Amino acid sequence: MDGRFLKVYELLRRAHGPRRWWPVTPPGETKPLYTGGPRSDLQRFEVAAGAILTQNTAWTNAARAIENLNRLGAISPGAIGRMDVQSLALAIRSAGYFNQKAKRLKTIAAHFRANRKMTREGLLALDGVGPETADSIMLYGFKAPFFVVDAYTRRLFGRLDLVDPSASYEEIRERFERNLPRRVFVYKEYHALIVEHGKLVCRKAPLCEKCLLKKLCLMYLERKETKQGRIG
DNA sequence: CGCCAGGGCCTCA
DNA sequence: TGAGGCCATGGC
């Protein structure tokens, strides 16, 4: 096991604290909150719907769509099944790609109605559910130990030189899973920490001076040497 | 204004 | 199998 993966986790925890991702709507309310995860079938479905809605989209835009659905009493497999695609698309407009996502919500709602147990394979077979969406649903909705890999993960761990950013999704996921304790809590927090760090620090234009990982970071060390004129 | 956000699918080579 | 186009709103 490569201990650097756990080391980075601990440093990110120190930098950003517990994330408590994924937010879900408490009973009787309309706004998703950081409650530490879903506690009912309805909230598990909400995680799945949110995973679709946030595809390539800022969470605030997806959250607004979820609030709209909540106000319509529509975050359930049955209610989404009964709604026509047009009004569904209208309700989730803020999430972007609303025509695609309305269909995808219909598809996943039907899957929830038809299946008692969720599996990664079953989700991946659905139109509009790729590996990241499937793993997000399995991990955050159903406490299954799949590590979620996204664009932030590739960028950060590519810069750290712990992952080949051009590798396949499955390769990267397995690399994380081989090098971490197989704990749902760790997977959940770690992915959320990577996202937070990607947004605040390891941006496309990175803020290396703020970064607690810089001593471990190939990119930072290379830049430093370049500045000192020892390269090039 | 331009850029980009916690992807996935399709097409074409 | 991989690069590029497409889907779309909202925040900065």
Side-chain angles (χ1 to χ4, degrees), chain A residues 1-2 5-6 9 147 175-183 186-187 190:
Chain A
M1 222 170 70
D2 187 338
F5 283 83
L6 208 47
Y9 173 69
F147 198 90
R175 180 156 171 71
F176 275 88
E177 292 177 6
R178 274 199 312 274
N179 289 294
L180 288 172
R182 198 172 221 73
R183 296 290 308 280
V186 172
Y187 287 11
Y190 205 161

Side-chain angles (χ1 to χ4, degrees), chain A residues 15-16 56 67 69 72 75 100 105 111 123 128 142 151 173 179 189 191 203:
Chain A
H16 304 293
N56 201 36
E67 289 188 56
L69 292 175
L72 297 170
I75 295 239
Q100 282 188 1
L105 287 180
H111 186 72
L123 290 169
F142 295 91
R173 178 174 68 79
N179 289 294
E189 287 298 313
H191 170 68
R203 302 176 176 178

Side-chain angles (χ1 to χ4, degrees), chain A residues 95-108:
Chain A
Y97 310 114
F98 44 80
N99 290 314
Q100 282 188 1
K101 287 176 178 176
K103 285 183 197 164
R104 293 177 183 184
L105 287 180
K106 286 284 215 179
T107 301
I108 204 161

